[in-house]
Amino acid sequence: MPAVVAVLSAGAFALFRPHLIDDTFITLSYARNLAFHGHWGLIELGTSNTATSPLSVLVLGVLTFVVRNAVLAAGILYVLCQVVIAAGLRRVGDRAGLPSWFSPLAVVLLTVNPLLISSIGLEVEFGAAAVVALLVFAVERRPVLLGVAAGVLVLIRVDLVLLAVVIFVLRKRFWAGMGKSVLAALAVTVPWFAFSWVVLGSAVPDTLIIKTLQKSWGAYDFSNGPVLYEGEFPWATWLSFLPAALGALAFLVWLATLARRGPASAALLPFGALVPAGVVHYLAYSRLHVPPYHWYYGPSIVVTTIFLAAAVAALAGRAPVLARRAGGIPVALAAAALVVASVGNYVSTGLPRAFAPLMSNHTTTAQYEQIGAELGRLVGSGTVRSGGEIGVLAYSCGCSIVDLFDDRGAVGPAIEQRKAVTGELGKKLIDLNFEYFDYGVPSIKPEFALAPTRVGQPAPPNPLAHWRIASPWAGVQELYLVRADGA
């Protein structure tokens, strides 16, 4: 099975590669700079700490050093994560007495989910693999490895500690071996956070400040973001969140029938913490009031979808004969229909797709790559102020695209801005996080700037270059390259 999963996942990544979203290339730029220059930053010009997933950068950096291509490294990591998910769920499923097709069903449901497809290259898939590993060691009562998996999860993305805590606590006799688990988790995480705190200037990446300052996109923040996406990408949005909703519903039904302790109910016990973990993560993000970047929903979708697959397998494979005929077969057919609908939605615009099923970028990855190459020829080693999106351009231009994500001198004022709207406890935590931050680093003064305008609006004076860009999300725009001083 692992070999089959690896081959199919490699094919899937090749299919998805043309529409890797812009933020993916922020991570890939960090990984490439680490691999080729031993430098932690989005651009070579200076150190930055806006990689939300330090472990992703470290692992991709090692892979990039070996294969000499960061995109290929992302594909390798994706395949490895798919194999870990499949093998881990097979292990838990066998222990729970679920049929052998449970793991393939879960992997397929995750693989075809439009939102998860749209998050490939980011840390969502890596986080999913770590969650599955955590689940395996929680079920098998292996406290040291459980702590290691929890530590890995936190290094993948610090907010994933919420999933680790809920899964840890909602185990039977969770306190058994807790000391070993905590020590193992600290042994994994403390070295990095100490290094990041002292050397990079912040223990938690600067994106915590950047994203919380953004707050919302108009009337939409994380809590109601799915409504925004439904208006732009209705089918993709429904097919992304429907498995999570069905997983949550299955969890409530399971709770209601748990007292009967039938074979189907008992089979779901190892997965019982997944839905509460997803709900806690969703509520925590809603409390932060951050913009509804689609990949933020990934962890909650992953854990609830895995529970859904387990519930389908339990009902169709472990319930009494009458229950299987009455409910199991229709539920299994519904899961199959969900897969077919997701695949149909993906291919509906033709292959290869230019855009991810869910996205908020302003043009295709291919066009940004073309613009990046042209920018490199036009500005050489010059610095260019971003026009709003930085990932693909920074990766492909060979020049320095500058904004808050890589200009450390601009982060200091952002920290002060965030403190001005934060309570006393929040200020103390921010001060602690940035205890070793160098506020004396000057802000980068770019020589050029990218200026986007709506079609029909006046062009900026003396443009050096011009491109027309378009996407389903942002519509048609004109993107101009101008001198930053307006000359």
Side-chain angles (χ1 to χ4, degrees):
M1 180 179 170
V4 173
V5 171
V7 170
L8 294 178
S9 298
F13 185 85
L15 182 64
F16 304 148
R17 182 336 185 174
H19 56 67
L20 296 179
I21 64 169
D22 192 74
D23 278 72
T24 291
F25 287 86
I26 294 177
T27 302
L28 297 185
S29 294
Y30 267 91
R32 188 175 62 180
N33 283 329
L34 181 64
F36 296 159
H37 308 292
H39 168 66
W40 194 271
L42 201 162
I43 58 176
E44 292 181 51
L45 195 58
T47 298
S48 54
N49 195 21
T50 52
T52 308
S53 176
L55 190 58
S56 291
V57 172
L58 292 169
V59 173
L60 287 171
V62 171
L63 291 172
T64 301
F65 181 81
V66 174
V67 302
R68 315 308 288 176
N69 184 297
V71 176
L72 177 58
I76 293 171
L77 181 58
Y78 174 75
V79 171
L80 291 175
C81 289
Q82 288 278 88
V83 171
V84 168
I85 292 169
L89 291 180
R90 177 65 179 268
R91 202 151 135 180
V92 179
D94 287 348
R95 194 177 185 91
L98 293 178
S100 60
W101 49 264
F102 153 64
S103 176
L105 174 63
V107 171
V108 169
L109 285 172
L110 294 173
T111 302
V112 303
N113 185 288
L115 186 143
L116 300 182
I117 290 174
S118 305
S119 306
I120 288 174
L122 294 168
E123 60 275 4
V124 175
E125 181 77 11
F126 199 6
V131 166
V132 170
L134 185 80
L135 185 65
V136 169
F137 300 134
V139 169
E140 294 180 355
R141 313 294 297 189
R142 303 176 73 175
V144 174
L145 290 177
L146 177 63
V148 170
V152 167
L153 198 59
V154 173
L155 290 181
I156 290 172
R157 193 177 174 99
V158 70
D159 56 269
L160 297 183
V161 68
L162 297 170
L163 302 185
V165 169
V166 174
I167 292 172
F168 181 87
V169 170
L170 293 184
R171 299 177 304 146
K172 186 177 181 181
R173 298 179 66 249
F174 71 87
W175 56 87
M178 185 169 65
K180 294 179 180 179
S181 297
V182 171
L183 287 175
L186 291 175
V188 171
T189 56
V190 167
W192 170 259
F193 284 119
F195 171 83
S196 181
W197 188 40
V198 176
V199 177
L200 301 180
S202 56
V204 178
D206 302 349
T207 42
L208 177 66
I209 296 294
I210 297 171
K211 299 298 187 182
T212 52
L213 278 176
Q214 292 176 347
K215 288 190 175 294
S216 65
W217 295 340
Y220 298 97
D221 64 7
F222 179 86
S223 63
N224 61 352
V227 178
L228 174 63
Y229 286 108
E230 196 274 337
E232 299 292 336
F233 312 104
W235 277 102
T237 303
W238 278 103
L239 291 168
S240 295
F241 289 94
L242 184 58
L246 293 175
L249 178 61
F251 176 77
L252 293 176
V253 173
W254 174 67
L255 284 182
T257 61
L258 191 57
R260 300 176 189 173
R261 301 289 292 181
S265 296
L268 289 179
L269 284 172
F271 306 92
L274 292 178
V275 173
V279 171
V280 167
H281 189 270
Y282 193 100
L283 293 176
Y285 257 79
S286 298
R287 184 71 180 85
L288 282 175
H289 301 294
V290 292
Y293 292 101
H294 69 261
W295 57 92
Y296 288 179
Y297 301 97
S300 294
I301 287 176
V302 165
V303 292
T304 48
T305 299
I306 291 173
F307 186 86
L308 173 65
V312 171
L315 187 57
R318 293 286 294 164
V321 175
L322 185 60
R324 287 203 301 271
R325 290 175 179 173
I329 294 175
V331 166
L333 290 175
L338 184 60
V339 171
V340 171
S342 297
V343 172
N345 175 74
Y346 183 83
V347 303
S348 62
T349 61
L351 297 178
R353 286 184 66 112
F355 294 99
L358 286 173
M359 44 74 71
S360 53
N361 297 144
H362 293 184
T363 190
T364 64
T365 298
Q367 187 179 18
Y368 268 146
E369 289 172 332
Q370 175 192 347
I371 293 172
E374 294 178 19
L375 269 178
R377 291 192 292 269
L378 288 166
V379 307
S381 59
T383 53
V384 184
R385 185 169 62 243
S386 163
E389 295 192 299
I390 191 173
V392 183
L393 293 177
Y395 187 84
S396 58
C397 83
C399 57
S400 296
I401 308 292
V402 178
D403 70 3
L404 196 55
F405 280 88
D406 54 11
D407 181 2
R408 210 70 192 283
V411 174
I415 295 171
E416 296 304 320
Q417 184 182 350
R418 180 60 186 157
K419 287 170 63 177
V421 294
T422 303
E424 288 303 315
L425 177 59
K427 289 178 183 177
K428 290 180 180 179
L429 292 174
I430 291 173
D431 285 338
L432 178 62
N433 186 56
F434 293 100
E435 176 73 23
Y436 294 97
F437 184 86
D438 186 356
Y439 288 90
V441 173
S443 185
I444 299 171
K445 304 298 183 186
E447 304 158 71
F448 304 90
L450 289 169
T453 67
R454 289 290 176 188
V455 173
Q457 291 182 340
N462 305 317
L464 303 174
H466 159 252
W467 302 271
R468 175 164 287 192
I469 59 176
S471 77
W473 177 268
V476 182
Q477 299 178 81
E478 310 287 356
L479 184 64
Y480 295 93
L481 175 67
V482 298
R483 293 198 176 274
D485 58 9

